Amino acid sequence: MLRAGFIGFGRMGITHYSILNSHPSVDVIAVCDQSTTMLSILKKYVNVMTFTDYREMIEKSSLDFVIISTPPDSHAQIVQFALENNLHVFVEKPFTLSVAEGQNILSDFKFRSLIHQVGYVNRFNEVFIEVKKLVDEGVIGDVSNCYSEMYGATVVKDSKSGWRGHRKTGGGCLYDFASHCIDLAVYLLGQPEKVAGSVMQSIYSSGSEDLVSSTLIYENGCTVEIMTNWSDESFRKPTNILTVFGTKGKIVADKHAYKIFLKEADPEHKLDKGWNTAYLPDLAQSVRLYVRGNEFTRQLDYFVGRIRNETIGNIAGFDEAFKTDIVMEQIALDASYNHSFPDNDLRSRLFLRKSSEKPSAFGKK
Amino acid sequence: MIDNVIFGDNQFFGINHMSEEKARNLSEKFSDLKAITDIIEIAYDSGIKSFMINSNERARDICDYLRANSSRYPDLCLYPSMPYAHKYANMVAEKGIFATLKETILADFSMGNIIGMITKGGGSLFEKDMIKVMQLLVDIEMKIYRDLTVKVVFLQNIVSDLLLGFGLKDFFIAFDSYIRKKYHAEAGFVTMNMPKMVEFLIDCGIENPIVCSSVNKAGFLMNPDINSYEATLKDKKFRPVAMSILASGAVPPEEAVKYVCQHNSIRSVVFGASSRQHIIETKNLIERYCQF
């Protein structure tokens, strides 16, 4: 049995716990969180050790891996400590808040020998997996440009409490919605060369942006338009929309379905000339326990499978997620040049974040 | 006794598991309450007396309408499903779980000793008794359905499957007994993991549990697989309620109904439709193929 520890027990931590607690090869040993209320509830209802300091938890619990779902500004520090202690690491997205922090982790030789994954869950969604396969197999020809969009009604008033309303702690639409859109672009097409025309706007939030748009430009001239708005009340829940244009046709996809338009029929893929549609029921693959969407289970089972040497590849490793970190930093910088974000010290905070600076939470000792 | 045919409400709220685009179109179509009550009227007049209603923002309006028109619907009974998690999701993202619970409870119970229990020492009630918190939340949600006939109160799959993963037997047992005692109704559980849920509920000592899950030929939203579903339907003693029988449109209606009805243990089917033609067609198919 693999011994698991959880660091951060908010909405994502709880979801991950439910999924892994029921995994036949995993024993959840310990949970670390800053909320003593949460810990005392766990103590009462669940058989698990509890900690408020992740270092103490790691030192005392002889774990095999950790699941980190803390506010993003603490990711780098906790990941580093876990790697130093020879633990496999799953960390929620975004990977870190600066390229410098990410580079530090990637240059640590330990990360090469341990299993690492970032919670870019779209990479485990059946529709997006299928879209990637179709693009890789050249069904729509050479990709010329894409739209990677995400909308939702996550923020509909100025939230001053909690980490999500503040850029410094890793809140804001860039690290949240836009990271998913950029990750889908990286997943499909790899690392863009540069970004242009970036805009970050506040709609409700005083401490962060609610809308991000940007153009990612690839070496071969291909572009990806990023458009995200987490204050769009017309959406019942957060929704990704991906449109990929190629020389032979185009694909329009969301998490539940994709449509593909082809200029000519593709008998090999059983696709007609014109529009073809595939829905999730045609593509869906069941999981051992469905909690909030089967991609959440698939991503964690993949992570555990890799630790157990049962699955190969590296679908959402640190090195992949780092590419998105680079793009996010490029966008923030580009947007600050465009004077589009009303936060004047954005650049200084991004690039001058000292390694000695304490993250807001989980730094107690 | 659970009704054989129950009318579902997902289509009213822009929920479609097959396509996010279709879901948005439905949400536009039913943005007017009249469009929803028209469909309820058609379903009722076609002979369907049972309605599953999720406790979302629109449920309040729908239930107000049903109370105001109670003489129009003398035999109507409801199968509430709670909580509607999206209602709380943004507040949880903004303020955290406990602040959300606290504000939700305080907003509703402005009187009595609840206020003291909650405010004293911040999270004292949460630390002391989460079962009590669950009961307070059930009471808040149940107010939506007051004065209407309620047969079964379902725990929504987002919560029931999350707690199933935690293995929290106490909560399932407490929910079941609270619904019986306070509301004189039965507790039901919606799940995307029916075989595991049935086994778990039986382990909890909940006899002949009511479990609502997808049952369709496509195996859609049936975890871990269709074979385990078929085996559980055959071998376990529980009251299955079948939903998503059309697999969001992947299975043609007649084939879908035939598949569901070949399982003798299924005595209840939930389906949603957004036109007179689809309501009548599906109801007729169920009555033709299922030997209730």
Side-chain angles (χ1 to χ4, degrees):
Chain A
M1 292 295 268
L2 293 169
R3 294 167 63 88
F6 281 71
I7 306 170
F9 217 64
R11 198 154 55 125
M12 283 321 299
I14 288 173
T15 304
H16 294 324
Y17 184 99
S18 174
I19 292 168
L20 284 179
N21 186 52
S22 56
H23 193 294
S25 309
V26 174
D27 261 344
V28 180
I29 302 296
V31 173
C32 169
D33 197 78
Q34 302 287 287
S35 161
T36 49
T37 304
M38 179 59 85
L39 295 184
S40 65
I41 291 169
L42 280 173
K43 240 182 244 168
K44 190 166 171 187
Y45 295 101
V46 180
N47 181 26
V48 70
M49 292 196 287
T50 58
F51 296 87
T52 50
D53 183 340
Y54 69 88
R55 296 179 194 86
E56 193 188 342
M57 178 183 95
I58 287 174
E59 279 158 4
K60 286 186 177 164
S61 316
S62 21
L63 303 171
D64 294 300
F65 70 85
V66 284
I67 303 289
I68 303 170
S69 320
T70 56
D73 67 328
S74 59
H75 285 180
Q77 200 180 54
I78 302 174
V79 166
Q80 201 91 50
F81 189 77
L83 293 178
E84 280 163 20
N85 284 274
N86 281 314
L87 300 181
H88 306 293
V89 177
F90 178 97
V91 61
E92 259 311 324
K93 59 94 203 164
F95 177 38
T96 72
L97 288 193
S98 77
V99 169
E101 286 176 336
Q103 242 154 9
N104 261 340
I105 295 170
L106 295 195
S107 61
D108 186 331
F109 75 98
K110 282 228 172 114
F111 124 88
R112 301 271 160 216
S113 59
L114 293 160
I115 303 300
H116 46 88
Q117 195 172 318
V118 178
Y120 281 119
V121 69
N122 284 327
R123 293 181 181 231
F124 295 86
N125 170 274
E126 295 99 325
V127 177
F128 293 131
I129 291 170
E130 185 66 15
V131 169
K132 160 102 174 137
K133 195 170 149 257
L134 292 170
V135 169
D136 285 353
E137 289 172 2
V139 174
I140 56 164
D142 295 328
V143 175
S144 54
N145 62 315
C146 303
Y147 290 104
S148 184
E149 304 160 79
M150 188 171 181
Y151 307 102
T154 303
V155 171
V156 290
K157 60 180 179 198
D158 187 14
S159 160
K160 294 192 172 105
S161 64
W163 62 270
R164 280 171 204 271
H166 303 279
R167 284 193 56 81
K168 207 168 183 171
T169 42
C173 189
L174 177 66
Y175 295 129
D176 198 319
F177 278 30
S179 73
H180 278 302
C181 293
I182 298 162
D183 174 64
L184 278 174
V186 170
Y187 176 56
L188 274 191
L189 304 170
Q191 179 89 53
E193 193 193 2
K194 57 185 177 187
V195 308
S198 310
V199 172
M200 290 160 67
Q201 292 177 40
S202 165
I203 297 170
Y204 295 106
S205 304
S206 52
S208 70
E209 72 289 345
D210 301 314
L211 181 154
V212 179
S213 63
S214 181
T215 304
L216 317 187
I217 304 170
Y218 285 76
E219 226 171 4
N220 63 1
C222 171
T223 58
V224 179
E225 303 293 336
I226 301 289
M227 179 65 192
T228 65
N229 179 347
W230 72 1
S231 302
D232 183 341
E233 288 171 71
S234 70
F235 283 80
R236 188 178 73 96
K237 56 182 183 178
T239 301
N240 282 93
I241 306 166
L242 184 66
T243 313
V244 190
F245 298 84
T247 48
K248 293 185 190 170
K250 74 169 180 179
I251 302 176
V252 185
D254 60 34
K255 264 182 230 168
H256 290 167
Y258 72 84
K259 288 189 286 194
I260 179 165
F261 179 88
L262 291 183
K263 293 177 187 173
E264 298 298 333
D266 181 338
E268 197 191 323
H269 290 90
K270 293 183 183 138
L271 293 167
D272 299 329
K273 182 179 173 177
W275 283 107
N276 301 263
T277 305
Y279 294 111
L280 193 54
D282 304 326
L283 302 165
Q285 289 160 9
S286 302
V287 290
R288 67 179 169 78
L289 182 83
Y290 179 112
V291 180
R292 278 179 63 183
N294 57 10
E295 58 264 42
F296 289 101
T297 305
R298 200 170 293 121
Q299 75 169 351
L300 285 181
D301 284 7
Y302 176 79
F303 172 68
V304 171
R306 290 192 64 221
I307 296 174
R308 291 167 52 82
N309 272 324
E310 291 163 351
T311 42
I312 49 160
N314 186 6
I315 291 176
F318 289 175
D319 34 358
E320 274 296 288
F322 181 58
K323 293 175 186 168
T324 293
D325 283 5
I326 294 172
V327 176
M328 287 193 291
E329 197 157 296
Q330 288 171 329
I331 289 175
L333 183 61
D334 187 40
S336 74
Y337 284 138
N338 293 334
H339 302 288
S340 64
F341 191 66
D343 183 348
N344 292 330
D345 69 350
L346 170 69
R347 282 169 62 199
S348 59
R349 278 207 272 103
L350 260 175
F351 295 101
L352 301 177
R353 196 164 167 249
K354 298 183 191 86
S355 53
S356 59
E357 205 174 298
K358 279 263 161 68
S360 58
F362 294 93
K364 273 189 190 173
K365 189 163 189 182
Chain B
M1 176 95 167
I2 314 173
D3 297 87
N4 301 133
V5 181
I6 302 167
F7 197 73
D9 66 348
N10 271 355
Q11 70 282 9
F12 298 149
F13 311 115
I15 299 171
N16 183 298
H17 296 293
M18 176 162 71
S19 151
E20 293 188 328
E21 193 186 336
K22 281 192 179 173
R24 284 189 294 278
N25 294 341
L26 281 170
S27 159
E28 282 165 31
K29 177 174 175 180
F30 289 111
S31 61
D32 178 14
L33 182 67
K34 176 84 168 53
I36 296 178
T37 57
D38 282 352
I39 293 292
I40 290 177
E41 217 168 70
I42 293 168
Y44 189 85
D45 292 343
S46 80
I48 299 171
K49 306 297 175 201
S50 306
F51 293 80
M52 186 181 262
I53 300 206
N54 285 281
S55 66
N56 61 26
E57 299 87 347
R58 302 304 296 279
R60 217 171 285 276
D61 297 335
I62 296 173
C63 290
D64 283 346
Y65 162 82
L66 293 173
R67 271 187 293 270
N69 296 278
S70 54
S71 56
R72 169 80 180 76
Y73 303 102
D75 303 319
L76 178 118
C77 70
L78 296 184
Y79 291 70
S81 178
M82 63 179 58
Y84 181 70
H86 288 290
K87 196 165 61 178
Y88 300 105
N90 291 344
M91 216 205 282
V92 169
E94 187 196 335
K95 299 180 172 171
I97 295 161
F98 297 116
T100 300
L101 291 178
K102 200 150 127 183
E103 280 186 26
T104 305
I105 295 170
L106 285 179
D108 210 84
F109 291 88
S110 46
M111 308 278 282
N113 53 4
I114 306 288
I115 221 164
M117 278 156 69
I118 288 206
T119 46
K120 238 184 282 162
S124 65
L125 174 64
F126 302 123
E127 286 172 33
K128 221 168 77 192
D129 193 355
M130 281 306 282
I131 302 281
K132 178 76 194 160
V133 173
M134 177 274 286
Q135 293 173 346
L136 291 173
L137 292 171
V138 168
D139 289 346
I140 292 172
E141 301 267 307
M142 282 306 286
K143 283 187 184 169
I144 299 172
Y145 310 94
R146 67 184 184 280
D147 304 330
L148 294 164
T149 307
V150 167
K151 265 198 178 166
V152 179
V153 179
F154 281 99
L155 191 62
Q156 257 286 0
N157 60 287
I158 293 191
V159 173
S160 64
D161 286 334
L162 186 82
L163 297 180
L164 173 69
F166 270 77
L168 290 173
K169 285 188 176 173
D170 291 351
F171 277 81
F172 287 85
I173 295 168
F175 180 76
D176 181 75
S177 69
Y178 192 63
I179 296 297
R180 280 173 204 282
K181 218 170 97 191
K182 171 124 190 209
Y183 294 99
H184 309 291
E186 290 204 79
F189 302 89
V190 185
T191 181
M192 297 291 170
N193 308 287
M194 183 265 269
K196 208 178 164 82
M197 180 64 83
V198 168
E199 205 182 311
F200 179 77
L201 292 172
I202 292 172
D203 269 0
C204 287
I206 299 174
E207 259 176 61
N208 204 9
I210 300 168
V211 178
C212 178
S213 71
S214 302
V215 179
N216 58 66
K217 211 181 168 178
F220 182 51
L221 297 175
M222 295 162 74
N223 301 286
D225 53 54
I226 192 167
N227 293 340
S228 316
Y229 270 60
E230 290 177 351
T232 305
L233 283 167
K234 196 164 152 274
D235 302 333
K236 301 280 181 193
K237 189 168 166 18
F238 73 112
R239 284 172 284 171
V241 177
M243 64 174 185
S244 300
I245 61 167
L246 302 173
S248 294
V251 187
E254 186 158 0
E255 222 178 299
V257 172
K258 269 189 190 168
Y259 175 77
V260 170
C261 296
Q262 78 190 38
H263 302 285
N264 292 332
S265 58
I266 296 178
R267 318 290 296 168
S268 298
V269 177
V270 184
F271 80 94
S274 15
S275 72
R276 179 188 300 270
Q277 192 198 344
H278 281 151
I279 294 171
I280 308 278
E281 267 176 21
T282 313
K283 184 176 172 278
N284 288 347
L285 280 173
I286 294 171
E287 282 167 357
R288 182 174 353 142
Y289 289 108
C290 294
Q291 308 294 317
F292 293 138

